[in-house]
Amino acid sequence: DLSIPNTCTYFVPKIKDSITRCYVLGPGEWVSVIGDHRVRSWGILFEMFKPGFTRFVVLEQLLMITLSIIKVIDATDLPTCAILAAILCGTFACIGVAIAVLAPWVAPFDVHFTVVVSLFTSVSCLFLVIGFHSGDLENSAFAKADTLLVILSWAVFIKACIDPCLLLYVEWSRRPRMQRKFDIDMRRKSAEVTLIEEGEEIQGATQMETMYPTEDEGGGYGGGDNTIVSSSVTSRWLLRSPMGSSVIPPLSIINSSIHSAGRPSPSRVSIPDDSSSANSL
């Protein structure tokens, strides 16, 4: 499947677009993972499908080949024409039901449009079967089939004119906007993971200082070095983090994570009751 990590993913923002856009275009867009441009290069093959259905385009092509083979069969008599029309009727009916159940496209409008077209095409083929089976070429069933096919042809033509406009809007406006939102979310998650790792380092350093206190230059045992360690590590995180301090307050989250673990905070290490330590502080 093409929707695998480190290549591309279907991104749905927390704040969705309007109901009309979600119905016509889908709730989100396929975006490339940072450093990869697979959607820009190969998105035309799978960007209209949901995750897990990106290879549905292969089934579409096989279906078109199957219908083309059926159409080229030379039918010289009415019974043969009735059989071919019945095969087409059953094929389009199965397509409509399968699309309604699977809903492989991200846009609900594409799903509903394909189901309606498939079922109406099946009904028109059914009228052809009735007409051919009657043996009368003047049967009214042929006129009904022609009317349905003309309506469907115009509907498909109008959609074929609208689709390029929607594609230009997606490529020039909607997908770049979704890509920026996705990149920001990825950087924020990366910053949070980095903060958690630094908090674990501070927690381990604090625990070691508490278990094995060392004498400082003033002759006392205390947590002065612990405070310096926590400050320096936090400063390194602020300098290295791509989002900086605008993402989340580092000290408050580090302290809360340490308190939740049931261990003392780096700035609140207990100090032995010693006069020399008090003088040094």
PDB file of all heavy atoms in Angstrom, residues 203-232:
ATOM      1  N   GLN A 203      15.310  13.801  35.334  1.00  0.00           N
ATOM      2  CA  GLN A 203      14.808  12.971  36.427  1.00  0.00           C
ATOM      3  C   GLN A 203      15.889  12.002  36.904  1.00  0.00           C
ATOM      4  O   GLN A 203      16.095  11.805  38.097  1.00  0.00           O
ATOM      5  CB  GLN A 203      13.572  12.212  35.950  1.00  0.00           C
ATOM      6  CG  GLN A 203      12.988  11.287  37.000  1.00  0.00           C
ATOM      7  CD  GLN A 203      11.756  10.577  36.462  1.00  0.00           C
ATOM      8  OE1 GLN A 203      11.139  11.020  35.500  1.00  0.00           O
ATOM      9  NE2 GLN A 203      11.402   9.483  37.086  1.00  0.00           N
ATOM     10  N   GLY A 204      16.603  11.382  35.943  1.00  0.00           N
ATOM     11  CA  GLY A 204      17.673  10.466  36.324  1.00  0.00           C
ATOM     12  C   GLY A 204      18.813  11.176  37.027  1.00  0.00           C
ATOM     13  O   GLY A 204      19.359  10.681  38.017  1.00  0.00           O
ATOM     14  N   ALA A 205      19.193  12.365  36.554  1.00  0.00           N
ATOM     15  CA  ALA A 205      20.270  13.115  37.198  1.00  0.00           C
ATOM     16  C   ALA A 205      19.874  13.542  38.604  1.00  0.00           C
ATOM     17  O   ALA A 205      20.671  13.489  39.538  1.00  0.00           O
ATOM     18  CB  ALA A 205      20.627  14.336  36.348  1.00  0.00           C
ATOM     19  N   THR A 206      18.623  13.940  38.780  1.00  0.00           N
ATOM     20  CA  THR A 206      18.153  14.352  40.106  1.00  0.00           C
ATOM     21  C   THR A 206      18.149  13.191  41.074  1.00  0.00           C
ATOM     22  O   THR A 206      18.524  13.309  42.238  1.00  0.00           O
ATOM     23  CB  THR A 206      16.734  14.941  39.980  1.00  0.00           C
ATOM     24  OG1 THR A 206      16.759  16.012  39.047  1.00  0.00           O
ATOM     25  CG2 THR A 206      16.255  15.443  41.332  1.00  0.00           C
ATOM     26  N   GLN A 207      17.732  12.031  40.591  1.00  0.00           N
ATOM     27  CA  GLN A 207      17.701  10.849  41.449  1.00  0.00           C
ATOM     28  C   GLN A 207      19.118  10.458  41.889  1.00  0.00           C
ATOM     29  O   GLN A 207      19.339  10.096  43.045  1.00  0.00           O
ATOM     30  CB  GLN A 207      17.036   9.697  40.704  1.00  0.00           C
ATOM     31  CG  GLN A 207      16.861   8.448  41.556  1.00  0.00           C
ATOM     32  CD  GLN A 207      16.142   7.350  40.801  1.00  0.00           C
ATOM     33  OE1 GLN A 207      15.862   7.494  39.619  1.00  0.00           O
ATOM     34  NE2 GLN A 207      15.833   6.279  41.500  1.00  0.00           N
ATOM     35  N   MET A 208      20.077  10.550  40.988  1.00  0.00           N
ATOM     36  CA  MET A 208      21.457  10.235  41.332  1.00  0.00           C
ATOM     37  C   MET A 208      22.004  11.221  42.349  1.00  0.00           C
ATOM     38  O   MET A 208      22.692  10.845  43.299  1.00  0.00           O
ATOM     39  CB  MET A 208      22.315  10.245  40.063  1.00  0.00           C
ATOM     40  CG  MET A 208      21.994   9.112  39.088  1.00  0.00           C
ATOM     41  SD  MET A 208      22.327   7.476  39.792  1.00  0.00           S
ATOM     42  CE  MET A 208      24.107   7.576  39.974  1.00  0.00           C
ATOM     43  N   GLU A 209      21.705  12.525  42.196  1.00  0.00           N
ATOM     44  CA  GLU A 209      22.176  13.523  43.147  1.00  0.00           C
ATOM     45  C   GLU A 209      21.544  13.312  44.518  1.00  0.00           C
ATOM     46  O   GLU A 209      22.163  13.560  45.545  1.00  0.00           O
ATOM     47  CB  GLU A 209      21.846  14.929  42.626  1.00  0.00           C
ATOM     48  CG  GLU A 209      22.675  15.363  41.429  1.00  0.00           C
ATOM     49  CD  GLU A 209      24.123  15.620  41.823  1.00  0.00           C
ATOM     50  OE1 GLU A 209      24.372  15.848  43.021  1.00  0.00           O
ATOM     51  OE2 GLU A 209      24.983  15.572  40.936  1.00  0.00           O
ATOM     52  N   THR A 210      20.278  12.854  44.526  1.00  0.00           N
ATOM     53  CA  THR A 210      19.613  12.632  45.805  1.00  0.00           C
ATOM     54  C   THR A 210      20.177  11.419  46.529  1.00  0.00           C
ATOM     55  O   THR A 210      20.361  11.421  47.750  1.00  0.00           O
ATOM     56  CB  THR A 210      18.104  12.443  45.569  1.00  0.00           C
ATOM     57  OG1 THR A 210      17.599  13.568  44.840  1.00  0.00           O
ATOM     58  CG2 THR A 210      17.373  12.314  46.880  1.00  0.00           C
ATOM     59  N   MET A 211      20.494  10.365  45.778  1.00  0.00           N
ATOM     60  CA  MET A 211      21.011   9.139  46.387  1.00  0.00           C
ATOM     61  C   MET A 211      22.474   9.282  46.782  1.00  0.00           C
ATOM     62  O   MET A 211      22.902   8.741  47.801  1.00  0.00           O
ATOM     63  CB  MET A 211      20.845   7.971  45.398  1.00  0.00           C
ATOM     64  CG  MET A 211      19.400   7.622  45.092  1.00  0.00           C
ATOM     65  SD  MET A 211      19.273   6.333  43.822  1.00  0.00           S
ATOM     66  CE  MET A 211      20.161   5.004  44.656  1.00  0.00           C
ATOM     67  N   TYR A 212      23.241  10.008  45.977  1.00  0.00           N
ATOM     68  CA  TYR A 212      24.674  10.150  46.242  1.00  0.00           C
ATOM     69  C   TYR A 212      25.049  11.625  46.250  1.00  0.00           C
ATOM     70  O   TYR A 212      25.564  12.163  45.275  1.00  0.00           O
ATOM     71  CB  TYR A 212      25.495   9.415  45.173  1.00  0.00           C
ATOM     72  CG  TYR A 212      25.114   7.972  45.009  1.00  0.00           C
ATOM     73  CD1 TYR A 212      24.311   7.570  43.945  1.00  0.00           C
ATOM     74  CD2 TYR A 212      25.542   7.017  45.929  1.00  0.00           C
ATOM     75  CE1 TYR A 212      23.946   6.255  43.795  1.00  0.00           C
ATOM     76  CE2 TYR A 212      25.176   5.690  45.781  1.00  0.00           C
ATOM     77  CZ  TYR A 212      24.384   5.307  44.712  1.00  0.00           C
ATOM     78  OH  TYR A 212      24.024   4.015  44.566  1.00  0.00           O
ATOM     79  N   PRO A 213      24.758  12.347  47.347  1.00  0.00           N
ATOM     80  CA  PRO A 213      25.098  13.780  47.408  1.00  0.00           C
ATOM     81  C   PRO A 213      26.611  13.956  47.450  1.00  0.00           C
ATOM     82  O   PRO A 213      27.332  13.184  48.054  1.00  0.00           O
ATOM     83  CB  PRO A 213      24.428  14.236  48.705  1.00  0.00           C
ATOM     84  CG  PRO A 213      24.317  13.001  49.538  1.00  0.00           C
ATOM     85  CD  PRO A 213      24.123  11.864  48.582  1.00  0.00           C
ATOM     86  N   THR A 214      27.076  14.990  46.791  1.00  0.00           N
ATOM     87  CA  THR A 214      28.508  15.314  46.754  1.00  0.00           C
ATOM     88  C   THR A 214      28.730  16.663  47.402  1.00  0.00           C
ATOM     89  O   THR A 214      27.871  17.543  47.394  1.00  0.00           O
ATOM     90  CB  THR A 214      29.005  15.359  45.312  1.00  0.00           C
ATOM     91  OG1 THR A 214      28.227  16.312  44.569  1.00  0.00           O
ATOM     92  CG2 THR A 214      28.856  13.999  44.638  1.00  0.00           C
ATOM     93  N   GLU A 215      29.924  16.824  47.949  1.00  0.00           N
ATOM     94  CA  GLU A 215      30.249  18.055  48.657  1.00  0.00           C
ATOM     95  C   GLU A 215      30.601  19.131  47.642  1.00  0.00           C
ATOM     96  O   GLU A 215      31.413  18.920  46.735  1.00  0.00           O
ATOM     97  CB  GLU A 215      31.442  17.816  49.592  1.00  0.00           C
ATOM     98  CG  GLU A 215      31.764  19.033  50.463  1.00  0.00           C
ATOM     99  CD  GLU A 215      32.872  18.714  51.444  1.00  0.00           C
ATOM    100  OE1 GLU A 215      33.355  17.565  51.439  1.00  0.00           O
ATOM    101  OE2 GLU A 215      33.237  19.618  52.200  1.00  0.00           O
ATOM    102  N   ASP A 216      29.965  20.287  47.797  1.00  0.00           N
ATOM    103  CA  ASP A 216      30.261  21.372  46.876  1.00  0.00           C
ATOM    104  C   ASP A 216      31.434  22.180  47.385  1.00  0.00           C
ATOM    105  O   ASP A 216      32.037  21.881  48.419  1.00  0.00           O
ATOM    106  CB  ASP A 216      29.011  22.251  46.681  1.00  0.00           C
ATOM    107  CG  ASP A 216      28.484  22.783  48.002  1.00  0.00           C
ATOM    108  OD1 ASP A 216      29.248  22.762  48.989  1.00  0.00           O
ATOM    109  OD2 ASP A 216      27.317  23.242  48.031  1.00  0.00           O
ATOM    110  N   GLU A 217      31.778  23.282  46.662  1.00  0.00           N
ATOM    111  CA  GLU A 217      32.947  24.060  47.029  1.00  0.00           C
ATOM    112  C   GLU A 217      32.782  24.737  48.377  1.00  0.00           C
ATOM    113  O   GLU A 217      33.755  24.994  49.075  1.00  0.00           O
ATOM    114  CB  GLU A 217      33.188  25.106  45.942  1.00  0.00           C
ATOM    115  CG  GLU A 217      33.548  24.491  44.597  1.00  0.00           C
ATOM    116  CD  GLU A 217      33.781  25.559  43.553  1.00  0.00           C
ATOM    117  OE1 GLU A 217      33.590  26.749  43.896  1.00  0.00           O
ATOM    118  OE2 GLU A 217      34.151  25.209  42.410  1.00  0.00           O
ATOM    119  N   GLY A 218      31.591  25.032  48.796  1.00  0.00           N
ATOM    120  CA  GLY A 218      31.382  25.684  50.084  1.00  0.00           C
ATOM    121  C   GLY A 218      31.378  24.723  51.242  1.00  0.00           C
ATOM    122  O   GLY A 218      31.164  25.129  52.371  1.00  0.00           O
ATOM    123  N   GLY A 219      31.569  23.410  50.989  1.00  0.00           N
ATOM    124  CA  GLY A 219      31.616  22.439  52.078  1.00  0.00           C
ATOM    125  C   GLY A 219      30.279  21.843  52.399  1.00  0.00           C
ATOM    126  O   GLY A 219      30.169  21.052  53.331  1.00  0.00           O
ATOM    127  N   GLY A 220      29.230  22.179  51.684  1.00  0.00           N
ATOM    128  CA  GLY A 220      27.907  21.656  52.010  1.00  0.00           C
ATOM    129  C   GLY A 220      27.443  20.642  50.993  1.00  0.00           C
ATOM    130  O   GLY A 220      28.075  20.409  49.973  1.00  0.00           O
ATOM    131  N   TYR A 221      26.333  20.000  51.301  1.00  0.00           N
ATOM    132  CA  TYR A 221      25.694  19.035  50.411  1.00  0.00           C
ATOM    133  C   TYR A 221      24.339  19.627  50.033  1.00  0.00           C
ATOM    134  O   TYR A 221      23.544  19.950  50.924  1.00  0.00           O
ATOM    135  CB  TYR A 221      25.482  17.693  51.106  1.00  0.00           C
ATOM    136  CG  TYR A 221      26.773  17.016  51.525  1.00  0.00           C
ATOM    137  CD1 TYR A 221      27.393  17.335  52.729  1.00  0.00           C
ATOM    138  CD2 TYR A 221      27.368  16.079  50.689  1.00  0.00           C
ATOM    139  CE1 TYR A 221      28.576  16.722  53.098  1.00  0.00           C
ATOM    140  CE2 TYR A 221      28.549  15.457  51.058  1.00  0.00           C
ATOM    141  CZ  TYR A 221      29.151  15.779  52.270  1.00  0.00           C
ATOM    142  OH  TYR A 221      30.317  15.174  52.620  1.00  0.00           O
ATOM    143  N   GLY A 222      24.089  19.767  48.803  1.00  0.00           N
ATOM    144  CA  GLY A 222      22.807  20.379  48.478  1.00  0.00           C
ATOM    145  C   GLY A 222      22.418  20.201  47.045  1.00  0.00           C
ATOM    146  O   GLY A 222      23.050  19.476  46.297  1.00  0.00           O
ATOM    147  N   GLY A 223      21.399  20.929  46.697  1.00  0.00           N
ATOM    148  CA  GLY A 223      20.819  20.797  45.365  1.00  0.00           C
ATOM    149  C   GLY A 223      21.148  21.934  44.461  1.00  0.00           C
ATOM    150  O   GLY A 223      20.446  22.137  43.474  1.00  0.00           O
ATOM    151  N   GLY A 224      22.151  22.727  44.799  1.00  0.00           N
ATOM    152  CA  GLY A 224      22.499  23.821  43.915  1.00  0.00           C
ATOM    153  C   GLY A 224      22.887  23.339  42.547  1.00  0.00           C
ATOM    154  O   GLY A 224      22.486  23.901  41.528  1.00  0.00           O
ATOM    155  N   ASP A 225      23.697  22.262  42.486  1.00  0.00           N
ATOM    156  CA  ASP A 225      24.107  21.733  41.193  1.00  0.00           C
ATOM    157  C   ASP A 225      22.921  21.173  40.425  1.00  0.00           C
ATOM    158  O   ASP A 225      22.901  21.216  39.204  1.00  0.00           O
ATOM    159  CB  ASP A 225      25.167  20.627  41.369  1.00  0.00           C
ATOM    160  CG  ASP A 225      26.471  21.202  41.914  1.00  0.00           C
ATOM    161  OD1 ASP A 225      26.645  22.419  41.747  1.00  0.00           O
ATOM    162  OD2 ASP A 225      27.263  20.431  42.483  1.00  0.00           O
ATOM    163  N   ASN A 226      21.935  20.624  41.163  1.00  0.00           N
ATOM    164  CA  ASN A 226      20.765  20.089  40.482  1.00  0.00           C
ATOM    165  C   ASN A 226      20.025  21.190  39.746  1.00  0.00           C
ATOM    166  O   ASN A 226      19.540  20.994  38.630  1.00  0.00           O
ATOM    167  CB  ASN A 226      19.815  19.425  41.488  1.00  0.00           C
ATOM    168  CG  ASN A 226      20.432  18.168  42.076  1.00  0.00           C
ATOM    169  OD1 ASN A 226      21.236  17.518  41.418  1.00  0.00           O
ATOM    170  ND2 ASN A 226      20.065  17.844  43.300  1.00  0.00           N
ATOM    171  N   THR A 227      19.889  22.344  40.376  1.00  0.00           N
ATOM    172  CA  THR A 227      19.210  23.451  39.733  1.00  0.00           C
ATOM    173  C   THR A 227      19.966  23.900  38.501  1.00  0.00           C
ATOM    174  O   THR A 227      19.376  24.208  37.462  1.00  0.00           O
ATOM    175  CB  THR A 227      19.060  24.619  40.723  1.00  0.00           C
ATOM    176  OG1 THR A 227      18.403  24.150  41.891  1.00  0.00           O
ATOM    177  CG2 THR A 227      18.260  25.754  40.085  1.00  0.00           C
ATOM    178  N   ILE A 228      21.282  23.916  38.577  1.00  0.00           N
ATOM    179  CA  ILE A 228      22.091  24.303  37.425  1.00  0.00           C
ATOM    180  C   ILE A 228      21.928  23.288  36.307  1.00  0.00           C
ATOM    181  O   ILE A 228      21.800  23.636  35.144  1.00  0.00           O
ATOM    182  CB  ILE A 228      23.572  24.439  37.834  1.00  0.00           C
ATOM    183  CG1 ILE A 228      23.733  25.585  38.832  1.00  0.00           C
ATOM    184  CG2 ILE A 228      24.435  24.669  36.616  1.00  0.00           C
ATOM    185  CD1 ILE A 228      25.134  25.710  39.386  1.00  0.00           C
ATOM    186  N   VAL A 229      21.903  21.993  36.675  1.00  0.00           N
ATOM    187  CA  VAL A 229      21.749  20.952  35.658  1.00  0.00           C
ATOM    188  C   VAL A 229      20.421  21.110  34.940  1.00  0.00           C
ATOM    189  O   VAL A 229      20.348  21.090  33.719  1.00  0.00           O
ATOM    190  CB  VAL A 229      21.850  19.546  36.304  1.00  0.00           C
ATOM    191  CG1 VAL A 229      21.412  18.487  35.306  1.00  0.00           C
ATOM    192  CG2 VAL A 229      23.280  19.285  36.761  1.00  0.00           C
ATOM    193  N   SER A 230      19.328  21.296  35.713  1.00  0.00           N
ATOM    194  CA  SER A 230      18.020  21.413  35.081  1.00  0.00           C
ATOM    195  C   SER A 230      17.948  22.650  34.197  1.00  0.00           C
ATOM    196  O   SER A 230      17.354  22.624  33.119  1.00  0.00           O
ATOM    197  CB  SER A 230      16.917  21.464  36.142  1.00  0.00           C
ATOM    198  OG  SER A 230      17.090  22.607  36.959  1.00  0.00           O
ATOM    199  N   SER A 231      18.570  23.749  34.638  1.00  0.00           N
ATOM    200  CA  SER A 231      18.528  24.964  33.839  1.00  0.00           C
ATOM    201  C   SER A 231      19.316  24.795  32.559  1.00  0.00           C
ATOM    202  O   SER A 231      18.884  25.230  31.487  1.00  0.00           O
ATOM    203  CB  SER A 231      19.071  26.143  34.645  1.00  0.00           C
ATOM    204  OG  SER A 231      18.316  26.344  35.816  1.00  0.00           O
ATOM    205  N   SER A 232      20.486  24.178  32.649  1.00  0.00           N
ATOM    206  CA  SER A 232      21.310  24.030  31.449  1.00  0.00           C
ATOM    207  C   SER A 232      20.672  23.093  30.444  1.00  0.00           C
ATOM    208  O   SER A 232      20.689  23.348  29.245  1.00  0.00           O
ATOM    209  CB  SER A 232      22.696  23.506  31.834  1.00  0.00           C
ATOM    210  OG  SER A 232      22.593  22.232  32.440  1.00  0.00           O
TER     211      SER A 232
END
